C-alpha cells in the first residue's frame, strides 16, 4: 500500500482540517492509469481522498452518504469541466458556437467547403480559405457553404492584396452580394477602402433605433500598430470617399464612428503562412491590454474580444492561451493534415511527419516585392531554398536580361522547367484574365516584369501542393508552423497519428477536451496535490471508443 501512496505527492498547502467523506469501497484509484481514467470523466467532480492506508482519487459519484462506504478524509476536489466553459461566452453566443474554437483560413481553398461545413455542423466557426482564388471559385464556395449552413456558423477569409487591389475589391463585392456576414481579415498592414466598405455597409438601426452590426470582422494581426487600426472606428477620410462614390450611405458612415473596425482580434503568433514569428506569451497580453485601452477610450457597446492563434496544436497550448485571457483559440496548420482539407495526400503525409523544427521562412507570392515572408514546411521539399534564390536574384538585378546566363539556365532547367519567355507568356495570359492592370504596370518596368515571372513559381507551387501535381513534389509550397510538429508529437501512438483518421472536428474536440483535462490537474496542483507524471498525458481516443 505504501507503494500506491507514493504515486501522489502532497505539499504543505494541504490543510490538516479537511472533512470526512464516505467513499464506495474499491472505487478509489491509486495507480497512474486508474487515476487518469477517473480524470477523463470530465463531467464528474474529482476528489482526492486519504485514510490511514489509502491515498487516491475518486469521482463525485463515488462519494456516498451510506455508512457502508469507507470513511476517508477529503483533501482536495475539482469541479466538472466542459469544453464549452473555456473562452468568452459572448464570442460563442455571437457566432452560435458550442466551443470557443475557430478553424482559421488556409489560402487557395485548403480550408475547404468540406472543412468549413464539418466545423459548422459541430458548432465550430470555420473560415473558408478564399485568398488566392478567382471570384468565380469564391462564388461557388459561398453557394455550397450557405446551402449546407443556412444559419451558419461560417466565415470567409479576406486577405489584404497590396499588389492586386482588384482581387481584394472583388472578394468584398462577392461577400456583400451573397450576404456573407463574417469575414476573417488577414495580412492587412493597414485599413483599405475594401475592408472599411464591408464593415460600414452592414451597419444600420433596428426598430428600437439600436445600432445593428450585420457584417462582422475578425481581424488576424501580429502587431500592435495594426491591431490599433482595427480597434478604432473607421477613418473619416475613407468613409467620406465611400459615401461620395455611393458605396455606403451617409447614415452608415455616421454609425461607423461608433463601432470598432473589428468585433474580434485574433492574435497571430508563430503560425504557418504569413507570420511575424512572435511568441504568444508576450504578444497576447500586450494586445489584451491594448483592447482594454481602446474600450476605455471609446466605450463601445460591445467590447472587442481577443483570441489566440499561432502555435495552437495541443491541449497544453490551447489551455495556455485561455489561461492568458484568450476569448477563443484558432487552429491552422494542424487542420491542413485533416481529411477535409483540400491539400494533396502527399502534402498531408509530409505534414504528418513534420517535427517542430521542420519549418522555415520563404518569400510570399502576394507580397514578393515587399520582401514579406511566410512560414512553410522545409522537410521533403526544395521550395524554400528555390524561393529564396528567386528573391535574391530580384534584389540583385533590375531585369531578367541582367541575370547571368548561367543563372538563367539554372532557373529554366531546375525551377521553371521552361524558358522564361514562355513563363512570361503564361503570366500575361493569367493576369489578362484576372487583373490586366498588373500587365500594364509591367510594360515599361522590367523589374516589375521580373517580379511577376518569379511570382509564377511562387503562386503555382502552392497549387501543385494542393492538387498533388506529379513530378513537382520537390517544389511543393506547404504552409505550416511549429504547431504541426507539436501536434504530431502529442498524437504519436494514438489513432490520430494516422493521417486517414484525422478529422477536423475530432482534432478540435480532443484539443479542447485535453485542455479541460489538464486544467483540472492544474487546479489540483494549486491545492497542493501532485499526481503521478504519467497523468499529465491526455491521449486521444477514437470517437467510437
Amino acid at each position: 500500500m505504501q507503494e500506491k501512496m507514493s504515486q501522489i505527492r502532497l505539499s504543505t498547502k494541504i490543510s490538516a482540517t479537511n472533512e470526512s467523506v464516505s467513499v464506495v469501497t474499491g472505487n478509489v484509484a491509486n495507480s497512474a492509469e486508474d487515476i487518469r481514467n477517473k480524470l477523463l470523466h470530465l463531467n464528474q467532480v474529482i476528489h482526492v481522498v486519504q485514510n490511514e492506508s489509502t491515498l487516491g482519487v475518486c469521482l463525485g459519484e463515488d462519494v456516498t452518504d451510506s455508512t457502508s462506504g469507507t470513511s476517508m478524509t477529503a483533501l482536495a476536489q475539482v469541479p466538472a469541466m466542459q469544453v464549452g466553459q473555456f473562452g468568452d461566452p459572448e464570442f460563442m453566443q455571437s457566432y452560435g458556437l458550442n466551443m470557443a474554437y475557430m478553424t482559421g483560413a488556409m489560402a487557395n481553398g485548403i480550408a475547404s467547403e468540406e472543412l468549413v461545413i464539418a466545423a459548422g455542423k459541430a458548432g465550430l466557426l470555420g473560415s473558408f480559405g478564399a485568398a488566392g482564388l478567382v471570384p468565380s471559385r469564391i462564388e461557388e464556395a459561398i453557394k455550397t457553404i450557405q446551402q449546407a449552413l443556412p444559419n451558419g456558423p461560417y466565415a470567409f477569409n479576406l486577405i489584404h492584396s497590396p499588389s492586386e487591389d482588384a482581387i481584394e475589391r472583388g472578394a468584398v463585392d462577392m461577400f456583400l452580394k451573397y450576404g456573407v456576414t463574417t469575414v476573417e481579415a488577414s495580412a492587412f498592414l493597414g485599413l483599405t477602402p475594401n475592408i472599411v466598405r464591408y464593415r460600414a455597409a452592414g451597419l444600420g438601426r433596428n426598430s428600437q433605433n439600436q445600432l445593428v452590426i450585420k457584417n462582422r470582422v475578425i481581424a488576424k494581426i501580429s502587431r500592435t500598430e495594426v491591431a490599433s487600426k482595427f480597434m478604432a472606428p473607421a477613418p473619416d477620410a475613407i468613409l467620406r470617399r465611400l459615401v461620395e462614390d455611393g458605396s455606403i450611405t451617409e447614415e452608415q458612415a455616421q454609425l461607423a464612428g461608433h463601432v470598432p473596425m473589428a468585433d474580434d482580434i485574433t492574435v497571430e503568433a508563430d503560425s504557418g503562412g504569413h507570420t511575424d514569428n512572435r511568441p504568444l506569451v508576450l504578444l497576447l497580453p500586450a494586445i489584451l491590454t491594448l483592447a482594454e485601452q481602446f474600450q476605455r477610450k471609446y466605450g463601445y457597446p460591445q467590447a472587442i474580444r481577443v483570441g489566440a492563434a499561432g502555435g495552437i496544436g495541443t491541449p497544453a497550448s490551447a489551455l495556455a492561451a485561455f489561461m492568458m485571457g484568450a476569448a477563443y483559440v484558432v487552429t491552422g496548420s494542424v487542420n491542413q493534415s485533416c481529411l477535409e482539407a483540400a491539400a494533396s495526400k502527399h502534402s498531408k503525409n509530409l505534414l504528418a511527419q513534420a517535427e517542430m523544427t521542420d519549418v522555415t521562412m520563404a518569400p510570399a507570392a502576394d507580397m514578393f516585392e515587399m520582401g514579406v515572408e511566410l512560414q512553410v514546411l522545409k522537410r521533403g521539399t526544395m521550395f524554400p531554398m528555390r524561393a529564396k534564390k528567386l528573391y535574391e536574384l530580384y534584389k540583385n538585378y533590375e531585369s531578367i536580361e541582367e541575370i547571368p546566363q548561367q543563372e538563367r539556365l539554372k532557373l529554366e532547367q531546375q525551377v521553371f522547367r521552361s524558358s522564361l519567355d514562355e513563363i512570361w507568356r503564361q503570366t500575361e495570359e493569367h493576369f489578362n484574365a484576372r487583373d490586366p492592370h498588373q500587365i500594364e504596370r509591367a510594360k515599361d518596368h522590367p523589374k516589375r516584369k521580373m517580379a511577376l515571372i518569379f511570382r509564377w513559381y511562387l503562386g503555382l507551387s502552392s497549387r501543385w501542393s494542393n492538387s498533388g501535381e506529379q513530378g513537382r513534389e520537390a517544389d511543393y509550397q506547404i504552409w505550416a508552423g511549429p504547431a504541426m510538429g507539436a501536434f504530431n508529437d502529442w498524437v504519436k501512438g494514438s489513432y490520430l497519428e494516422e493521417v486517414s483518421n484525422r478529422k477536423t472536428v475530432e482534432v478540435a474536440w480532443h484539443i479542447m477536451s485535453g485542455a479541460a483535462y489538464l486544467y483540472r490537474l492544474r487546479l489540483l496542483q494549486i491545492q497542493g496535490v501532485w499526481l503521478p507524471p504519467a497523468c499529465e498525458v491526455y491521449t486521444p481516443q477514437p470517437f467510437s471508443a
Side-chain angles (χ1 to χ4, degrees):
M1 188 59 68
Q2 184 63 36
E3 181 182 351
K4 289 184 177 180
M5 290 184 66
S6 67
Q7 297 275 344
I8 301 175
R9 289 192 295 116
L10 304 180
S11 74
T12 54
K13 298 176 186 177
I14 291 291
S15 170
T17 58
N18 289 288
E19 63 178 7
S20 293
V21 294
S22 181
V23 181
V24 176
T25 305
N27 281 14
V28 177
N30 308 112
S31 69
E33 182 179 356
D34 290 341
I35 291 172
R36 190 165 56 242
N37 288 334
K38 295 284 187 184
L39 290 170
L40 287 171
H41 289 80
L42 297 177
N43 61 339
Q44 288 272 340
V45 174
I46 290 292
H47 295 272
V48 178
V49 294
Q50 180 183 27
N51 66 11
E52 292 182 357
S53 60
T54 303
L55 174 64
V57 171
C58 67
L59 300 177
E61 65 183 19
D62 298 326
V63 176
T64 176
D65 294 330
S66 172
T67 56
S68 62
T70 302
S71 179
M72 307 187 76
T73 301
L75 301 178
Q77 74 173 51
V78 292
M81 181 71 192
Q82 302 300 319
V83 295
Q85 291 177 248
F86 285 121
D88 191 329
E90 289 186 349
F91 176 82
M92 289 183 276
Q93 183 179 3
S94 294
Y95 296 102
L97 310 179
N98 296 324
M99 295 191 292
Y101 187 103
M102 179 178 178
T103 62
M106 293 173 284
N108 290 333
I110 296 175
S112 64
E113 293 98 325
E114 186 180 359
L115 192 155
V116 173
I117 291 168
K121 288 185 175 180
L124 313 177
L125 180 59
S127 179
F128 179 78
L133 300 180
V134 296
S136 60
R137 176 68 182 89
I138 297 175
E139 183 176 31
E140 176 188 340
I142 292 174
K143 291 178 179 179
T144 300
I145 292 172
Q146 288 185 337
Q147 182 177 4
L149 300 171
N151 300 313
Y154 63 84
F156 274 74
N157 180 225
L158 175 64
I159 194 168
H160 178 42
S161 303
S163 300
E164 298 181 73
D165 180 71
I167 297 298
E168 183 181 320
R169 185 171 63 253
V172 170
D173 290 341
M174 198 71 66
F175 298 152
L176 293 176
K177 175 182 176 181
Y178 285 97
V180 173
T181 58
T182 304
V183 300
E184 181 190 30
S186 61
F188 278 81
L189 304 175
L191 298 179
T192 67
N194 301 313
I195 185 66
V196 173
R197 174 165 68 102
Y198 175 81
R199 180 64 162 174
L203 298 177
R205 292 190 180 277
N206 61 19
S207 56
Q208 287 76 45
N209 203 36
Q210 298 169 319
L211 192 156
V212 175
I213 302 174
K214 181 182 177 183
N215 294 341
R216 291 172 291 194
V217 174
I218 302 173
K220 188 182 291 184
I221 60 90
S222 56
R223 300 186 181 195
T224 53
E225 62 269 26
V226 178
S228 295
K229 298 180 186 298
F230 280 96
M231 289 179 179
D236 286 338
I238 295 180
L239 291 170
R240 286 296 99 208
R241 290 200 299 271
L242 291 173
V243 171
E244 289 170 4
D245 65 23
S247 297
I248 62 173
T249 66
E250 186 69 47
E251 181 187 32
Q252 287 170 335
Q254 186 272 327
L255 293 175
H258 300 284
V259 297
M261 268 300 300
D263 304 272
D264 302 280
I265 299 289
T266 298
V267 175
E268 186 178 32
D270 196 7
S271 65
H274 287 287
T275 180
D276 284 332
N277 308 107
R278 302 289 179 86
L280 187 64
V281 293
L282 300 180
L283 185 59
L284 179 58
I287 302 300
L288 283 166
T289 298
L290 190 65
E292 191 276 331
Q293 292 171 352
F294 271 85
Q295 182 61 30
R296 278 193 282 113
K297 179 178 180 179
Y298 290 101
Y300 296 129
Q302 172 61 59
I304 300 169
R305 298 170 294 248
V306 178
I312 309 295
T314 64
S317 57
L319 177 60
F322 284 123
M323 291 300 96
M324 284 191 291
Y328 56 96
V329 293
V330 183
T331 54
S333 298
V334 299
N335 304 325
Q336 194 172 189
S337 68
C338 291
L339 293 176
E340 300 90 347
S344 68
K345 183 178 180 180
H346 182 82
S347 295
K348 290 178 182 180
N349 286 334
L350 288 179
L351 287 165
Q353 298 166 20
E355 298 180 3
M356 284 186 281
T357 54
D358 287 335
V359 292
T360 189
M361 300 299 291
D366 56 346
M367 301 183 188
F368 178 76
E369 297 94 320
M370 301 166 65
V372 174
E373 294 186 316
L374 36 68
Q375 193 155 217
V376 297
L377 189 69
K378 64 181 179 181
R379 180 173 183 162
T381 172
M382 297 182 69
F383 168 79
M385 180 181 68
R386 289 174 173 174
K388 288 177 181 179
K389 180 63 177 179
L390 291 179
Y391 188 68
E392 179 186 322
L393 293 171
Y394 175 76
K395 286 195 304 179
N396 293 338
Y397 301 100
E398 294 302 312
S399 69
I400 287 290
E401 289 71 27
E402 282 189 16
I403 299 175
Q405 185 64 21
Q406 187 176 359
E407 289 284 4
R408 180 166 175 166
L409 284 174
K410 284 182 181 178
L411 290 181
E412 293 180 333
Q413 293 171 2
Q414 298 176 9
V415 180
F416 293 95
R417 301 188 187 180
S418 182
S419 71
L420 294 183
D421 290 336
E422 170 59 20
I423 298 302
W424 174 242
R425 187 194 67 76
Q426 293 180 27
T427 301
E428 281 188 300
E429 186 178 276
H430 169 79
F431 280 109
N432 281 330
R434 177 185 174 107
D435 185 5
H437 180 62
Q438 299 297 320
I439 301 302
E440 288 295 323
R441 290 175 58 194
K443 276 186 176 179
D444 299 316
H445 296 85
K447 195 173 183 73
R448 173 69 179 162
K449 176 181 176 180
M450 177 169 55
L452 292 181
I453 290 174
F454 289 173
R455 283 173 57 190
W456 177 95
Y457 173 77
L458 298 175
L460 283 179
S461 57
S462 63
R463 289 177 172 80
W464 294 331
S465 169
N466 296 348
S467 65
E469 183 78 15
Q470 293 188 0
R472 277 291 192 175
E473 289 84 356
D475 296 292
Y476 284 7
Q477 179 183 175
I478 306 171
W479 302 307
M484 190 71 251
F487 176 85
N488 290 333
D489 284 343
W490 166 48
V491 301
K492 193 168 294 182
S494 78
Y495 84 107
L496 288 179
E497 182 175 5
E498 174 55 50
V499 174
S500 61
N501 291 330
R502 295 184 180 184
K503 297 181 180 179
T504 304
V505 171
E506 293 191 27
V507 166
W509 173 259
H510 285 304
I511 287 176
M512 295 292 280
S513 295
Y517 175 94
L518 294 177
Y519 176 65
R520 300 212 295 176
L521 290 185
R522 302 291 89 84
L523 289 180
L524 285 175
Q525 290 172 358
I526 289 171
Q527 296 176 71
V529 177
W530 291 76
L531 298 179
C535 292
E536 289 284 339
V537 179
Y538 172 87
T539 302
Q541 297 296 325
F543 271 25
S544 58

